[in-house]
Amino acid sequence: MPVYKLHYFNLRGRAELARLIMSQAGVEFEDVRFERTEWPALKATMPFGQVPVLEVDGQMLAQSNTISRYLARKHDLAGKDEWEQALADMYADNINDLMTGMRPAFLEKDADKQKELYEKFMTETVGTHVAFIEKQLEKNGTGHLVGKELTWADLAYYGFFSFLVEKFGEEFLKDASHLKSLIALVEDLPNIKKWVESRPKTEI
Amino acid sequence: MPGYKLYYFNVRGRGELSRLILHCAGVPFEDFRFEGKDWPAIKPNMPFGQVPVLEIDGNKMLAQSHTVARYLARQHGLAGQNDWEQSQADMYVDCIYDMHGTMRTPTWETDPVKQKELFDKVNEETIQPHLEKVEQHIIKNGSGHLVGQGLTWADIAYYAFFTTPIMTRLGGEVFTKAPHLKKLIELVGSNPNIKKALSSCPAPNTKLINGHCSTE
């Protein structure tokens, strides 16, 4: 088994999916977390001056989705053939876009403007996307996003949507029974439960 | 050979990488381009109401620009020689995806003075620091390519990003500190299949204007 070392801030953020994948796969990893004050000194050591970075036996891999995809493929969570793997990639890219779409609201300093931006994000961006996902889940018919089994796509949706529920409540999922079921399914996986209970508690 | 139909607007944007991969690999495909006014009718048929979308054999649809490009690269030998190389290529293309995002604001700015200002800001804050790292990686890799010994879709992604109309117009100084990357981009540009693709317009009702297909 290779030695995995994941470098990131002390946040869930863009590293949590990789942590969920490794936890679900039952793979050991060193969960290196640093504070913002330590970052300037570490930045120059990262391949593109950014994190997360996965160190695999001393070699560095950057970019959160690349890291997650690499781990998913290595540990049977990527999909059973190339087509399923592509579908899983597609869903992970959707989550990536949603995370990026949330940034302007997240970074807004004015409290009133921030509230407005979050509301717009949740109704327009997330609401629209949830409607599409419900259709896809219904069409696939297995409870999973891709194929018949758990893939990192399911973990990606769990990671981001459980965070949204935490922050905004469940109301926005009232017409999304399939997505709600998927989130509950992942939440109940023993390895995920164990990780969520033991991980450092962070705001994001 | 599966039947590929690539749905995207009649621009380069986020569809161009997949087109270039297919051209480079010599794989025929239907380059289905549409104008803004046609989009409302097409949108509901797309899996997530967005494009580009790759339709395969008339019945399977794949969304998300980089997922489509990665799938095509893997199917047609342009993804890297092993898991690690494939991940390295993924990593570089993710960097390009991020930079695409930062270039959106300058690209859509209509005032030329403001546009140059916005472009210079993105260049200074994002592109130059990135290129500094990429130069080091290319030198370390030693083959002239970003990943491994040969052409991958990572090289093509950098070519596509650095040859957009705005980059061509305003990015004259962009490679001042990145001669290896400049050389790589020129190498990709000189690939016979890419040269051939850029010298003609496969899509109906389009013609070549300033190096890319348009319906004007």
Side-chain angles (χ1 to χ4, degrees):
Chain A
M1 187 62 66
V3 175
Y4 291 136
K5 207 166 157 179
L6 183 68
H7 299 263
Y8 195 56
F9 296 102
N10 184 20
L11 304 167
R12 284 177 275 168
R14 288 187 184 273
E16 193 62 13
L17 180 53
R19 294 179 186 129
L20 290 169
I21 291 166
M22 287 187 285
S23 301
Q24 174 58 24
V27 159
E28 262 182 53
F29 65 101
E30 197 184 328
D31 189 16
V32 178
R33 295 168 182 248
F34 48 83
E35 298 304 320
R36 290 207 175 267
T37 47
E38 301 171 81
W39 173 234
L42 292 166
K43 192 174 156 79
T45 65
M46 301 297 156
F48 298 101
Q50 296 174 318
V51 279
V53 161
L54 182 73
E55 211 180 307
V56 186
D57 291 337
Q59 291 201 83
M60 313 276 256
L61 191 65
Q63 286 289 353
S64 56
N65 262 11
T66 288
I67 291 167
S68 296
R69 181 180 310 103
Y70 175 80
L71 291 168
R73 283 180 196 238
K74 283 294 193 198
H75 300 287
D76 285 317
L77 282 167
K80 68 175 195 334
D81 56 31
E82 287 178 340
W83 180 247
E84 283 197 2
Q85 287 179 7
L87 291 175
D89 286 352
M90 176 181 78
Y91 285 113
D93 280 353
N94 285 343
I95 292 296
N96 191 52
D97 284 351
L98 289 175
M99 277 193 185
T100 303
M102 199 167 131
R103 268 180 76 81
F106 180 72
L107 296 171
E108 177 57 53
K109 298 279 182 250
D110 177 301
D112 288 331
K113 187 138 210 288
Q114 188 184 53
K115 188 161 180 276
E116 215 177 284
L117 287 171
Y118 271 136
E119 262 164 35
K120 188 168 192 270
F121 172 71
M122 288 303 287
T123 27
E124 290 177 18
T125 310
V126 174
T128 310
H129 186 73
V130 167
F132 281 115
I133 282 295
E134 273 298 290
K135 280 209 189 89
Q136 295 293 330
L137 279 166
E138 214 166 332
K139 197 168 148 203
N140 194 39
T142 64
H144 293 285
L145 283 163
V146 177
K148 301 190 167 76
E149 289 165 8
L150 187 78
T151 63
W152 69 300
D154 298 326
L155 298 178
Y157 272 72
Y158 163 75
F160 186 65
F161 278 90
S162 63
F163 164 71
L164 288 182
V165 167
E166 204 180 290
K167 203 169 164 61
F168 301 110
E170 259 195 343
E171 181 66 15
F172 77 99
L173 289 174
K174 66 182 190 314
D175 297 322
S177 60
H178 292 88
L179 181 56
K180 261 172 95 161
S181 295
L182 175 61
I183 293 167
L185 184 157
V186 175
E187 206 165 61
D188 285 339
L189 294 168
N191 285 354
I192 296 295
K193 255 196 150 101
K194 198 165 123 208
W195 167 251
V196 170
E197 275 161 22
S198 68
R199 72 185 172 192
K201 305 286 172 268
T202 56
E203 193 202 334
I204 59 160
Chain B
M1 189 65 68
Y4 292 138
K5 184 172 175 176
L6 184 71
Y7 291 77
Y8 194 58
F9 295 101
N10 188 19
V11 294
R12 296 174 52 146
R14 290 191 183 277
E16 193 66 6
L17 178 54
S18 287
R19 293 178 185 133
L20 290 171
I21 289 167
L22 288 164
H23 285 305
C24 203
V27 172
F29 68 105
E30 190 186 341
D31 188 4
F32 185 78
R33 296 164 180 251
F34 50 86
E35 299 303 321
K37 61 174 171 49
D38 303 319
W39 173 230
I42 297 171
K43 190 177 158 89
N45 300 323
M46 300 293 118
F48 300 99
Q50 297 173 318
V51 278
V53 160
L54 180 71
E55 187 183 88
I56 303 181
D57 292 333
N59 61 18
K60 292 196 299 198
M61 288 189 139
L62 192 66
Q64 286 287 356
S65 58
H66 279 196
T67 287
V68 169
R70 179 180 307 104
Y71 177 78
L72 293 170
R74 285 183 192 233
Q75 292 297 301
H76 301 289
L78 284 166
Q81 297 300 309
N82 52 49
D83 285 349
W84 186 251
E85 279 194 9
Q86 287 183 5
S87 289
Q88 293 281 300
D90 285 352
M91 177 180 77
Y92 281 111
V93 182
D94 280 354
C95 290
I96 288 294
Y97 191 86
D98 289 347
M99 289 202 293
H100 240 292
T102 63
M103 280 296 287
R104 246 211 307 262
T105 315
T107 302
W108 290 105
E109 175 57 54
T110 47
D111 178 308
V113 171
K114 188 134 213 284
Q115 188 185 51
K116 177 138 201 339
E117 227 171 81
L118 290 167
F119 177 88
D120 287 343
K121 187 169 191 275
V122 171
N123 186 38
E124 194 187 306
E125 289 175 5
T126 308
I127 297 177
Q128 290 305 307
H130 179 70
L131 292 193
E132 201 183 305
K133 297 277 190 185
V134 172
E135 267 298 284
Q136 287 166 21
H137 295 317
I138 295 178
I139 292 168
K140 191 165 163 214
N141 191 39
S143 65
H145 291 281
L146 285 165
V147 177
Q149 301 302 310
L151 186 75
T152 63
W153 69 303
D155 299 329
I156 301 175
Y158 275 71
Y159 167 80
F161 181 76
F162 284 100
T163 55
T164 52
I166 188 175
M167 195 57 82
T168 307
R169 205 170 58 248
L170 301 176
E173 306 289 305
V174 133
F175 296 124
T176 314
K177 298 192 185 141
H180 289 83
L181 181 61
K182 184 172 184 209
K183 200 158 162 227
L184 172 60
I185 287 168
E186 282 164 5
L187 180 73
V188 177
S190 68
N191 175 292
N193 284 347
I194 289 194
K195 266 179 118 139
K196 188 162 141 228
L198 296 181
S199 67
S200 66
C201 257
N205 304 321
T206 57
K207 59 182 185 193
L208 215 54
I209 296 177
N210 292 330
H212 58 106
C213 296
S214 174
T215 50
E216 279 182 292

